[in-house]
Amino acid sequence: MKLFAVLSLLCLGLLTGCGGGGDSEDANIVASVFAGEDQQVVEKTDFNVVAQGSPAGGTFTWQQVSGPAVEGFPLEGGEQTITAPDIKADSQLVLRVSYQTSEGGLVTDDISISLTSNNLLPQAVVSQIAPTTLPSVYSDIITLSALDSIDPDANGEIVSYSWSLISGPNLEVDSYTNSTLSFPHPLLESNSNLKWLLMVTDDEGGESSAEYIMTLNKTEQIVIADAGEDQVVSEFDEVTLDASGSEVTTATYKCNWQQLSGNAETLTNSSQCTTRFFASDVDTATELNFEVTVTDSKGRSNTDTIFVDVTQKPLGLINDTGVGECYNNTQRINCGSDDFLLQDAELGRDSFANRLDKVGEGNLAFDFTKLNEFADEVSDDSSQFSCVRDNVTGLVWEVKSPLSGVVPNTTLRDGQNHYIWDLGNASSVGSSSGGANTTCPSNTDCGLQTYIDEVNSTDFCGGTNWRVPTYSELLGLIDYGKQGQAILLDDNLFPNMADKTALGHLRFWTSQTAVDGTSLSQAYIIDMSDGNDLAYPKEDTAYVRLVRSR
C-alpha cells in the first residue's frame, strides 16, 4: 500500500488578554491525495485511474512524468479513462496527480503503469513475378517476391527477409536477403521441384515463415555450346577463344576447336575449352571463323561458332629501331617489367617481328630483298646483288661496289668515295665545288650532284631517278640493336662499307639543309657507326648512299 501524502496546515489564532485573563484557539487542517494502486496494462487498451483527495471539495490535475508519450495530458478530474500507447517493447509509464484544496493546500501522488507490448506477428507471403510468360524455360530469369508479406500492426513494418532453398538443383541466386530473389532457369535433364522457405521479421522482432514450391521444366537441348562473343582484333594480337561459358547437365565436359575459314592460325591447344592464337600478318581486313564442339560425359554434344575480324595495325610505312631487348638501369631484363614500362622492344613493329609475314630478310622487323643490276629479285643468300629493296618503305637502296683501290683511283660506286654537299640547286648555298679526282674518281668534280648524274646515266639497277635520301629515309636504315658494333647496318645487305679509319667517321649525307638562322652552309649527316646525326659543313666531305622510289 502507498502512504497518503499529508500536508499539515497550522492556523494560529490571536491571543488577547484583558483583566489578567484570556483564552486561545488552534485549528489543524490535514490535506492528502492518493493516485491509486500501480497497474499493469496491455498496449492500446483503455485503463482507469481514480484519485482520492482530502478534505473534499478540491481539484485534481493529472500529468505524465515519464514513459512513452500519451495524448491528452494534462487532464482535469479525479477519475480518468486513458488509452495505453502503441509501443514496440514493454515500457513503464508514470502519471502524477496533483490535488489542491479549497484553502489553497497542494499535495501530489504518483502511479506507475506497466505497459506490455502485444506485437502481432507478420505474415510471410511468396509469389512468382517473373517471367511474365509461364512456364519458364532455360535461361529465363525467374523472380520470387516477398513484397506481399504484411505486418498487421498499425505502425509496424517488415525489416528483414531471409530466403532458403530447402531442396532443388544448384542455382545462381542474386541475393538471399532482399525482398525479391532472382535466378536464371538452369539447364535441366528432367523436371525438378524446388522448395523455398521465406522468413520475415518485423520491427518488433516478430518472425513468421512460409514455404513455396515450384517446378522447373527440363531443357530440350541438354548441351549448350557457347563460343563467346564475336571479336575485332588487330594483326599480331593474342586472341583468346573461350568456351568455358558452355553448359551441360553432367559434372564435366570437354571442348574441341577447329577453324572453318580465314588465314590458317595456330591454336595453342584446340582440345581445351580456352585456347589462344596470335593473329596473322594481314594486308587487308580479314575474317576468321572458328567452331567449338562441346561434349558432355555421356557423349552428347553441341556446337557454336565465333567470328574474329582481324584488322591491320596502323604501323605506317616506316621502319622500327631494331631494338629487341629490354633493360633496367644497369643490365638486360625480361620485357614487361612494371618498373621499366613501355620500352622500345615492347612497342612497334619489332615487338612482334617473329610473327611478321616478311618478304625478304633482315633483323627483327627489317625486311629487305636483294636485287640484281636489272632490279630483278635474287635469293636472300645470294652474294651477287647490286641494290636492295626495303619492303616496308618501298624504297630501293644503292649497294656499294667492292673496294677497288685507293681514292681517287676507285670505281664509280666504291664505298670509299666521299663527296662535298653540292646538289646543284638553290639549296646548295654555302657549299663549294669539289675538286675532280680528289675524293672520288670523277673527272668533273666530287660533288653529290655529279655523282647522282653519273649513276643515273648508267641506268643503275633499272632506274634513272637515284637521289640523296632525306633525313628520315636514311635514319630508317639504322639498326640500333647493333649498338657497340662497328657499323649499325646489316653488312649482309649493305656490304663494302669504307673503313672508318679513312676519314675517322662513317658520316653519310642527307638531302636536307640545316637551317641555323644565319646561313645555309650546313646539311644533316647521320653517322652509321653510332646512329647520331649532325649539322655538317657542306664544304666538308662525307659518304653517300643513293636511294630511289620504285
Side-chain angles (χ1 to χ4, degrees), residues 46-63:
D46 293 340
F47 64 95
N48 294 324
V49 289
V50 179
Q52 300 176 6
S54 178
T59 58
F60 298 89
T61 302
W62 291 90
Q63 293 182 335

Side-chain angles (χ1 to χ4, degrees), residues 161-180:
Y161 303 85
S162 178
W163 299 84
S164 300
L165 180 60
I166 299 175
S167 62
N170 292 329
L171 302 173
E172 297 178 5
V173 176
D174 61 346
S175 174
Y176 288 94
T177 58
N178 290 338
S179 58
T180 60

Side-chain angles (χ1 to χ4, degrees), residues 4 7 59 111 154 221 277 291 297 325 328 344 351 435 450 479 547:
F4 286 92
L7 174 67
T59 58
I111 183 174
Q221 179 63 52
F277 67 91
E291 179 184 76
S297 58
E325 297 176 342
N328 59 16
D344 192 69
S351 64
T450 297
D479 184 349
V547 69

Side-chain angles (χ1 to χ4, degrees), residues 303-320:
T303 62
D304 191 28
T305 59
I306 180 175
F307 288 94
V308 179
D309 291 329
V310 183
T311 61
Q312 287 183 289
K313 282 187 178 294
L315 297 175
L317 299 178
I318 58 174
N319 279 314
D320 211 337

